[in-house]
Amino acid sequence: MQSSALLFISAVFLGALTIASAGNFYQDFDITWGDQRAKILNGGRDLTLSLDRVSGSGFKSKNEYLLGRIDMQIKLVPGNSAGTVTAYYLSSQGPTHDEIDFEFLGNLSGNPYTLHTNVFTQGKGNREQQFHLWFDPSLVRPHQGLPHLLHLFNNLESIGIPFPKNQPMRIYSSLWNADGWATMGGRVKTDWSNAPFTASFRNFNANACVQAPGSSSCTRPDPNQDSSWQDQALDASGRNRLRWVQQKYMVYNYCTDVKRFPQGLPPECKRSRFL
């Protein structure tokens, strides 16, 4: 499989996505920290994370996934979310881990959320991109915030760049305080009079290959699920949407930061068609 993306992660900020078999948070996830600040509700259909002055909270998936498509609906912290970070990512373990990051950096009311992305392969990251979201991800409105490809990481193993295809990864999410850097470089601090802050999750769906403990291969939990993602490629429409997002809403791209890389930009940047 020479796909541009190993695990397709879709974070959708609305109530209009139809999913044939949404997961159950009791069955699919474990709450990992935060005491009672993380709650599974409505028989496992919903999960909320909260943050107060004492602590944030988080959860992780019970399964590890090697190949597949992951969907989740997320409603971020509304109002003045400055200083808060809602992280949603996949990661393997160890010093040479693979990781695919989405971090939503809060902001003052009326200003857009910033989406911070990164990709780690074999323990190496430094592939950050940032986008200002063009909609309010704290509101649930039909047909708003439909998925767009934001961070494209091509398989360039042919020129010696590791690709995250061999290490199974769990899904993680957390809500935490990062007012030392999250909003305007840390100049805007968290207003704790608005606490507790809350982010909500629902309609998780993993059309993915699950890695069994101690196994060198993975299995599909439902063989009847659509497997079209295995052959999915970026078509002309997808390329146009990517260009549109990058041209209008990208505010940082490591592939253009020559000051950060005085010895030369990372080799994958020279092979990108979208910069």
Side-chain angles (χ1 to χ4, degrees):
M1 179 181 179
Q2 296 297 313
S3 169
S4 296
L6 172 68
L7 281 151
F8 297 91
I9 310 176
S10 177
V12 183
F13 309 94
L14 73 164
L17 180 66
T18 299
I19 296 176
S21 57
N24 183 288
F25 282 104
Y26 283 120
Q27 297 174 0
D28 298 320
F29 291 90
D30 291 318
I31 292 173
T32 51
W33 62 288
D35 297 323
Q36 300 303 312
R37 294 172 183 83
K39 298 178 180 179
I40 298 176
L41 306 168
N42 299 322
R45 294 190 299 272
D46 300 288
L47 187 151
T48 60
L49 296 179
S50 65
L51 163 70
D52 57 32
R53 190 183 289 272
V54 176
S55 177
S57 51
F59 63 86
K60 69 176 181 180
S61 64
K62 296 179 185 290
N63 289 325
E64 294 181 305
Y65 303 96
L66 187 60
L67 302 171
R69 172 171 176 151
I70 306 296
D71 292 280
M72 181 79 81
Q73 290 182 333
I74 306 174
K75 181 181 178 181
L76 299 182
V77 175
N80 182 359
S81 58
T84 71
V85 172
T86 305
Y88 174 63
Y89 62 102
L90 291 104
S91 181
S92 60
Q93 300 297 310
T96 58
H97 73 291
D98 294 335
E99 186 171 330
I100 302 172
D101 287 343
F102 290 84
E103 292 184 305
F104 300 94
L105 314 183
N107 215 329
L108 294 169
S109 298
N111 292 321
Y113 260 87
T114 298
L115 171 58
H116 179 99
T117 69
N118 201 353
V119 176
F120 288 76
T121 58
Q122 294 293 305
K124 179 184 177 182
N126 297 326
R127 299 183 175 105
E128 296 92 345
Q129 294 180 347
Q130 289 190 350
F131 307 82
H132 282 164
L133 296 183
W134 55 96
F135 57 93
D136 188 342
S138 68
L139 298 176
V140 179
R141 292 177 177 169
H143 311 300
Q144 185 183 34
L146 295 176
H148 282 264
L149 176 63
L150 295 177
H151 193 140
L152 178 72
F153 186 69
N154 289 300
N155 187 340
L156 295 174
E157 291 178 301
S158 61
I159 60 172
I161 300 171
F163 191 71
K165 69 177 187 180
N166 298 315
Q167 299 187 60
M169 294 184 277
R170 294 188 192 276
I171 304 165
Y172 296 86
S173 187
S174 59
L175 174 59
W176 51 292
N177 179 47
D179 65 4
W181 62 271
T183 305
M184 300 183 188
R187 296 190 300 275
V188 181
K189 303 299 182 182
T190 303
D191 182 356
W192 292 109
S193 68
N194 294 315
F197 304 96
T198 301
S200 304
F201 303 78
R202 64 166 42 181
N203 282 341
F204 164 73
N205 189 54
N207 184 359
C209 178
V210 177
Q211 186 87 16
S215 173
S216 60
S217 61
C218 60
T219 59
R220 293 173 58 79
D222 183 354
N224 296 317
Q225 282 184 313
D226 177 28
S227 60
S228 60
W229 53 265
Q230 297 185 46
D231 302 311
Q232 187 171 348
L234 196 62
D235 58 15
S237 176
R239 288 193 294 271
N240 288 335
R241 289 197 302 270
L242 178 59
R243 291 191 188 100
W244 177 78
V245 171
Q246 289 188 336
Q247 291 170 3
K248 292 183 67 70
Y249 299 105
M250 179 181 281
V251 294
Y252 177 79
N253 184 359
Y254 77 106
C255 277
T256 61
D257 194 344
V258 293
K259 292 183 179 179
R260 183 179 177 188
F261 302 101
Q263 303 304 316
L265 295 171
E268 69 264 21
C269 296
K270 302 173 185 177
R271 297 289 295 270
S272 173
R273 293 173 293 168
F274 306 108
L275 302 173

